[in-house]
Amino acid sequence: MKEKAIDGKVIRVLQGDITEQEVDAIVNAANSKLLGGGGVDGAIHRAGGGEIMKECDLIRKEQGGCPTGQAVATTAGKLSADYVIHTAGPVWTGGDRGEDYLLGSCHRESIRIAGEKGCISMAFPGISIGAYRFPTERAAGIAIETAAEELEKSSLEEVRFVLFDSKSYDIYAQALDKLEK
């Protein structure tokens, strides 16, 4: 595990299973239709149970889903967290369609919602780095920088980045090392 303190708050990078994190909110790398899926999305829905999908169904009926770069909150079901914050990351198409901005927005919006819900701690997966093909080094830099900026303004005390594999962990840990705060 790597960590960096920022004005009494902390960003941590660790390798593990995001569904096992004991935090107030877990961020889900969701699709824009909130239909569940594979990877992190599937793992969160399986571990959290059907209540999460029921709330996703309601959100879909009310607002059609979750646009890329935005975030919505649901119950965490059987997870130890209080909330799952679903955010729809951008699909990498070469970097000339606003992907960096949208990925930063995923993190900003998730942190904003966690703060509105009164959360003190939250855990992010690597958003868009799997099936959405966002370059991991680039995604890690955006994620860590955005989290550091938002953490300073937020009531949150801890933001974790939980990476499933050692290669992604190493890349996010290096991004945290490079953070100048």
Side-chain angles (χ1 to χ4, degrees):
M1 178 175 60
K2 277 264 189 212
E3 64 180 56
K4 186 168 277 195
I6 301 171
D7 296 328
K9 300 176 179 189
V10 68
I11 295 177
R12 290 190 170 93
V13 175
L14 56 123
Q15 186 177 346
D17 182 341
I18 197 163
T19 67
E20 296 175 356
Q21 298 302 302
E22 293 185 14
V23 291
D24 297 325
I26 289 175
V27 178
N28 180 19
N31 56 64
S32 61
K33 295 294 183 192
L34 302 176
L35 292 171
V40 170
D41 196 8
I44 287 172
H45 280 279
R46 282 190 302 278
E51 288 302 308
I52 297 172
M53 186 54 77
K54 284 180 187 173
E55 288 192 30
C56 286
D57 291 343
L58 289 174
I59 292 166
R60 216 173 23 263
K61 286 177 186 167
E62 290 173 7
Q63 62 188 48
C66 179
T68 302
Q70 297 300 305
V72 295
T74 66
T75 181
K78 297 175 186 173
L79 298 169
S80 66
D82 295 322
Y83 303 99
V84 172
I85 299 173
H86 307 265
T87 190
V91 174
W92 180 258
T93 58
D96 57 357
R97 296 198 173 157
E99 293 101 316
D100 289 358
Y101 173 80
L102 290 167
L103 185 62
S105 182
C106 288
H107 292 85
R108 276 189 299 280
E109 288 298 306
S110 296
I111 291 169
R112 180 185 62 76
I113 288 172
E116 286 176 359
K117 298 286 187 186
C119 297
I120 300 299
S121 60
M122 68 187 301
F124 281 95
I127 297 171
S128 289
I129 64 172
Y132 287 6
R133 302 177 313 278
F134 209 105
T136 305
E137 292 84 1
R138 191 169 182 147
I142 293 166
I144 298 286
E145 285 283 337
T146 304
E149 290 167 10
E150 295 303 312
L151 192 56
E152 291 182 271
K153 313 182 247 193
S154 173
S155 59
L156 284 165
E157 295 175 8
E158 177 187 5
V159 173
R160 295 180 193 176
F161 289 92
V162 182
L163 292 308
F164 192 71
D165 64 279
S166 60
K167 183 179 177 188
S168 298
Y169 165 80
D170 290 342
I171 292 168
Y172 274 72
Q174 288 170 8
L176 185 61
D177 284 340
K178 291 177 187 173
L179 181 67
E180 294 184 22
K181 293 278 179 193

